[in-house]
Amino acid sequence: MATSESSGKNLDRLPGALLCTIMTKLDVASICSVAATCTTFRTCVSQILSFLTNFNLLDIAPSMEIIRPLLPPNPYLRSLKNCADFSGKLLSEIGGQCKDLRSLYLGSVAEKRGRSIHISDLEELLNGCPQLEALVLIPNVEPHQLPNQIRPFILPSIQKLCLSVDYITDAMVGTISQGLVSLTHLDLRDTPLIEPRITFDLTNSGLQQINHHGKLKHLSLIRSQEFVVTYFRRVNDLGILLMADKCANMESICLGGFCRVTDTGFKTILHSCSNLCKLRVSHGTQLTDLVFHDISATSLSLMHVCLRWCNLLTNNAIKSLVSNTGLKVLDLRDCKNLGDEALRAISCLPQLKILLLDGSDISDAGMSYLRHGIISSLVTLSLRGCKRLTDKCISVLFDGSSKLQLQELDLSNLPNLSDNGILTLAKSRVPISELRVRQCPLIGDTSIIALASMQVDDDRWYGSSIRLLDLYKCGGITPLAFRWLKKPYFPKLRWLGVTGSVNRDIVDALARSRPFLNVACRGEELGVDQWDNSDSMYMHDYGEVDELEEWLYEGEDESDDEEMAEAEINAEPMV
């Protein structure tokens, strides 16, 4: 069997023009990968990057040296997305070289605290890209710097602005709202290290300035509690009333951390914004069932509702909410008082695609409402931390069901879920692409073997549909399971979560034997938490394996398998 290196040498003999033509069929991650294999490839890549119209890097973070060919005057570039861990100098380089850039998404600019970007770099980007319509940055910028630099004549075309900063302030909101004359989409998220002072916080006055030009359709204001438990404590119902008065045409509103806003404020939004399709409220500590009591009397046609960490809600709220029969997304994570009666109400939603019920008080019996109602339409179902569920919930949901569309299933942190439940799931032939069973103490090798042998249809097996599998802290996993995580099993697997503190040699050998597999072994969540972001631009693409990847798989040396076998021999029993 030829190695990927020898295959690269063979391809090195092909004419450069032909190689360039072949490589244009690849995605950007693959193009960057082949650049390291031979001189001819490296030369082709330097030419190809200068003609790309879209540049999206979701799984890799190339150095400036690799990405440099993208930046010389490039009349074709229109979109640049998710380059990680660059300094602010990248912003000025883009401003100087990519004059026609329409959208820019940078997920980790100066992500290390203490390595802030210079505001002059941001100014050069804004001045150099007059046609910029969408800007998404997660920079480490002093909170008072950014607003003073945004002027109408610099950003006449900006329609979408997404910023993640240390603090959201009145000055920031006011300057953005007044200065960005074409703004239709505003997403602001902050992550304070300490409780904000009044001069560095959002108040009722700031909310009153939102939508100054009346074009805003989508608004997201989120205070993250990643470092400290903190809220927008200087905003109350009055601020929401003042904001709602200017937001009658809003289609999407996402509010997180507004602890002083009561039912009065939230009801104002529902009754003032007749075009509202998407409502997300997180950490709504004073949100109760009364908010939805008369929702049927409104003209709303909600399609996406998130009520995460709204612990005062009960089954009655859901019974009222489902009067919006067009709901497609329902996120009720960490609403601990919801039970089987809520499931009964939810089962009447014929178009529901995504249902997240983490931490609720539902039981195996309640699952029967979903089976007889919406299980055939669901694409995503999360039951993480629903402690009352057992293996029986799997058989109730899937055993003998008709053809299902379910692709993503989260069964993590279920203490009573065992291998028997996963065996039932495997027999159901549900074409799951993402399965999370982390922190399930009764899950062991039998589950892995069953999933590896899972037959989705008559022609494909080897666990062929699974692209993400999270097994972190599953109590019964031993070195035996890792034999079933090697090729040819799970051929589409791109993300794997395992416990790496024991028998790390096996984990490392597996990672080396499958170069396109992202192995997480420290307990981190796999991929991006897409439900905590307001737009699909943050989402990972668990797409099909491309032609380059398949070719490299076929050309891999058997030495990796031998290395893994040796690691298994020397392995200690896992716990």
Side-chain angles (χ1 to χ4, degrees):
M1 182 180 292
T3 64
S4 56
E5 182 179 357
S6 62
S7 299
K9 291 179 179 178
N10 291 333
L11 287 172
D12 201 11
R13 302 190 185 102
L14 294 175
L18 177 58
L19 282 177
C20 287
T21 301
I22 295 173
M23 291 171 65
T24 57
K25 306 296 184 181
L26 304 176
D27 58 25
V28 174
S30 297
I31 290 174
C32 292
S33 297
V34 300
T37 61
C38 68
T39 303
T40 303
F41 275 3
R42 193 174 302 114
T43 303
C44 290
V45 168
S46 66
Q47 299 174 21
I48 290 173
L49 291 181
S50 297
F51 292 93
L52 293 178
T53 57
N54 297 287
F55 199 86
N56 301 334
L57 299 176
L58 297 178
D59 297 329
I60 62 175
S63 65
M64 180 64 79
E65 180 181 356
I66 294 177
I67 201 176
R68 194 177 302 280
L70 175 72
L71 296 177
N74 182 353
Y76 300 96
L77 189 65
R78 296 292 183 272
S79 173
L80 180 64
K81 184 171 181 178
N82 272 38
C83 303
D85 196 21
F86 282 101
S87 69
K89 185 63 176 174
L90 175 66
L91 301 182
S92 62
E93 290 286 335
I94 293 173
Q97 305 291 349
C98 304
K99 304 297 184 182
D100 295 325
L101 196 65
R102 300 295 179 88
S103 60
L104 176 63
Y105 303 75
L106 295 174
S108 305
V109 180
E111 66 178 359
K112 296 181 176 64
R113 290 190 176 271
R115 200 177 82 182
S116 300
I117 67 173
H118 295 292
I119 202 65
S120 59
D121 294 327
L122 181 59
E123 283 186 310
E124 290 187 37
L125 166 70
L126 301 179
N127 282 308
C129 303
Q131 299 188 57
L132 201 61
E133 297 175 358
L135 175 61
V136 181
L137 299 178
I138 306 182
N140 185 13
V141 187
E142 289 298 321
H144 62 278
Q145 285 185 308
L146 183 59
N148 296 329
Q149 306 300 325
I150 297 181
R151 299 186 294 274
F153 65 90
I154 291 181
L155 299 170
S157 302
I158 283 285
Q159 298 175 22
K160 177 184 292 185
L161 180 66
C162 304
L163 293 176
S164 179
V165 295
D166 290 339
Y167 304 98
I168 297 173
T169 68
D170 286 349
M172 175 182 294
V173 170
T175 307
I176 289 173
S177 297
Q178 295 178 32
L180 305 185
V181 296
S182 301
L183 198 65
T184 62
H185 187 297
L186 177 60
D187 183 341
L188 299 179
R189 180 184 301 260
D190 69 7
T191 310
L193 283 173
I194 60 174
E195 187 68 32
R197 303 191 306 272
I198 189 169
T199 53
F200 292 106
D201 202 4
L202 180 66
T203 71
N204 291 340
S205 176
L207 284 186
Q208 188 176 5
Q209 301 176 69
I210 286 178
N211 204 22
H212 180 78
H213 298 283
K215 297 181 181 180
L216 208 60
K217 300 293 184 182
H218 310 276
L219 173 67
S220 179
L221 298 172
I222 305 292
R223 173 150 288 174
S224 170
Q225 300 191 359
E226 181 179 353
F227 299 113
V228 61
V229 177
T230 182
Y231 300 89
F232 291 112
R233 301 183 189 277
R234 297 178 174 90
V235 173
N236 55 28
D237 290 338
L238 176 60
I240 300 297
L241 291 171
L242 295 172
M243 181 188 76
D245 187 51
K246 299 180 179 181
C247 297
N249 295 320
M250 283 281 194
E251 298 174 5
S252 169
I253 294 180
C254 308
L255 301 175
F258 289 83
C259 66
R260 295 186 61 197
V261 177
T262 69
D263 293 338
T264 300
F266 291 118
K267 286 186 71 170
T268 300
I269 293 175
L270 295 179
H271 288 265
S272 300
C273 306
S274 58
N275 296 326
L276 198 65
C277 297
K278 177 179 179 179
L279 174 68
R280 300 180 76 237
V281 178
S282 58
H283 294 289
T285 57
Q286 299 195 51
L287 183 70
T288 75
D289 296 349
L290 293 177
V291 171
F292 305 108
H293 177 68
D294 57 352
I295 192 172
S296 60
T298 70
S299 59
L300 288 178
S301 297
L302 292 172
M303 299 175 64
H304 180 140
V305 173
C306 169
L307 301 169
R308 193 175 186 189
W309 289 302
C310 297
N311 290 321
L312 298 182
L313 294 179
T314 71
N315 296 331
N316 292 327
I318 309 306
K319 292 176 181 178
S320 300
L321 183 60
V322 297
S323 63
N324 286 264
T325 56
L327 276 170
K328 294 183 179 180
V329 178
L330 190 55
D331 183 352
L332 302 172
R333 288 177 293 172
D334 303 294
C335 295
K336 299 179 180 179
N337 293 318
L338 301 184
D340 292 347
E341 288 303 308
L343 292 181
R344 184 198 292 267
I346 292 169
S347 68
C348 299
L349 297 172
Q351 301 182 52
L352 195 65
K353 299 293 184 183
I354 297 172
L355 179 59
L356 312 178
L357 295 166
D358 302 17
S360 58
D361 193 37
I362 57 178
S363 70
D364 294 335
M367 290 292 102
S368 63
Y369 294 125
L370 298 186
R371 176 177 176 179
H372 297 299
I374 61 171
I375 191 60
S376 60
S377 68
L378 282 181
V379 174
T380 299
L381 176 62
S382 182
L383 304 171
R384 176 180 294 207
C386 297
K387 306 290 189 181
R388 296 175 61 191
L389 297 181
T390 69
D391 292 336
K392 187 177 180 180
C393 77
I394 304 297
S395 59
V396 169
L397 275 175
F398 303 116
D399 190 21
S401 296
S402 57
K403 187 174 179 62
L404 304 180
Q405 302 182 50
L406 194 68
Q407 298 177 19
E408 302 174 15
L409 179 62
D410 193 338
L411 301 171
S412 300
N413 197 17
L414 300 184
N416 298 311
L417 180 68
S418 72
D419 290 335
N420 290 331
I422 302 302
L423 281 169
T424 301
L425 178 64
K427 292 177 182 177
S428 70
R429 293 193 175 192
V430 180
I432 292 175
S433 60
E434 299 185 14
L435 178 62
R436 292 174 169 85
V437 288
R438 61 189 287 130
Q439 295 179 308
C440 291
L442 303 182
I443 295 295
D445 296 342
T446 301
S447 292
I448 311 308
I449 296 171
L451 292 171
S453 306
M454 184 176 177
Q455 193 170 6
V456 175
D457 54 41
D458 294 333
D459 300 321
R460 298 181 301 164
W461 61 297
Y462 290 153
S464 60
S465 66
I466 296 180
R467 299 168 186 171
L468 181 152
L469 182 60
D470 194 346
L471 305 168
Y472 181 71
K473 281 196 174 180
C474 286
I477 301 294
T478 76
L480 173 64
F482 283 82
R483 299 180 187 178
W484 295 84
L485 292 170
K486 298 188 298 183
K487 302 182 296 291
Y489 305 104
F490 300 105
K492 294 184 179 179
L493 194 63
R494 300 295 298 274
W495 293 85
L496 175 66
V498 293
T499 305
S501 58
V502 180
N503 291 323
R504 185 58 186 266
D505 289 342
I506 290 184
V507 176
D508 291 342
L510 175 65
R512 286 191 293 269
S513 71
R514 306 191 70 161
F516 290 94
L517 179 63
N518 298 279
V519 181
C521 53
R522 295 188 298 272
E524 58 268 46
E525 293 285 349
L526 301 186
V528 175
D529 189 359
Q530 53 196 304
W531 313 118
D532 286 334
N533 294 293
S534 61
D535 197 276
S536 59
M537 61 197 168
Y538 293 97
M539 295 171 64
H540 269 279
D541 179 13
Y542 304 110
E544 296 288 338
V545 176
D546 60 34
E547 293 180 3
L548 170 68
E549 187 172 335
E550 290 180 345
W551 171 70
L552 288 177
Y553 272 140
E554 293 171 359
E556 286 173 353
D557 193 18
E558 294 178 352
S559 60
D560 288 326
D561 289 337
E562 295 173 359
E563 177 187 0
M564 210 175 158
E566 182 179 351
E568 291 172 3
I569 293 173
N570 298 325
E572 298 291 335
M574 284 187 159
V575 293

